[in-house]
Amino acid sequence: MKRPVLVTGAAGFIGAAVALRLLERGERVVGLDNINTYYSPELKVARLQRLEDAAGDWLFKQLDLENGAEIADLFAAHQPRAVVHLAAQAGVRYSIENPAAYIQSNLDGFGNVLEGCRHQGVEHLVYASSSSVYGGNRQMPFSEQHAVNHPVSLYAATKKANELMAHTYSHLYGLPATGLRFFTVYGPWGRPDMAPMLFAKAILSGQPIRVFNQGQMQRDFTYIDDIVEGVIRCLDQPATADPNFNPLDPNPATAAVPHRLFNIGNSQPTPLLRFIELLEQALGVEAIKDFQPMQPGDVVATAADTSALEAWVGFRPNTPLEVGLRRFAAWVQLHPHLLG
């Protein structure tokens, strides 16, 4: 019997969507999540129900990543051939108030996943990084070849640390590992703590939306289906050492060991006020805007250079924001009880 794919964070926005795609193509999938209360467990349970209802070989385990013994037992019991690690304590702003949660989940938890991969002969680890690692960098668009040494939030710092940890396991133990830097993911079944869901909920209830930095922001909004396609394609193309890696002039995106880093973004940075305008059109309601100053830990703009991803797997995100927001708005209007 074919060994399963382990998806961590399987009750999360991206994790549930990836697990569903894997089931649809006939994979055995083991899902892991702790279903914490950072945002509505009701939404997480609803995502898991979709996976339960899907035709496929699906098994779910509710575990904390920080529990090293239980994670080791899970790996030993199911011996996954590949791991898609999407579990993490999410949120830039929450990390300012609750740093310990990020240390435990994003560092200790990731270490336990790496150990599981090492001891059970996992063929490929694909793990979530974030566009937030670019931090104070103002050189646009963001490229994997840029240095990422100036994080502006603890969340970003833990994601950069994950990249370093994965590289080390690739170096020491030959673990093929691919880190994916996601850019502002949105779409149906999204996260209630992110702007699209927060805005939609407020707009539909007639409440003001908080528009930070007086609206002078840009984001590379990336539709969930494009993110999933990128994850799956990278999963199917295990990382390899770069034969042209030069230690005298090292490329931050590749390595002399089987570790790679890729941006997954739409490469169409959109002003925040334009995003709000398109969301208003999709929902058919005008927003009440509450303009506020910049928040600590936030960045003014993001934009993805995805040329490396396209060269590696022949794909780059391409869903127009207008199309993605129409799909998102249709989902919102069908599931108002899941907006948090």
Side-chain angles (χ1 to χ4, degrees), residues 172-190:
L172 293 175
Y173 309 113
L175 171 66
T178 300
L180 302 178
R181 294 171 175 171
F182 298 140
F183 282 69
T184 314
V185 189
Y186 75 99
W189 301 95

Side-chain angles (χ1 to χ4, degrees), residues 134-146:
Y134 291 103
N137 181 18
R138 291 292 179 266
Q139 186 178 355
M140 298 286 175
F142 294 152
S143 166
E144 301 91 342
Q145 297 186 35
H146 293 167

Side-chain angles (χ1 to χ4, degrees), residues 19 80 149 154 162 183 189 236 260 263 265 276 318 321:
N149 299 322
L154 182 62
N162 287 170
F183 282 69
W189 301 95
D236 292 344
R260 300 269 175 160
N263 292 333
I276 294 169
N318 54 22
L321 184 58

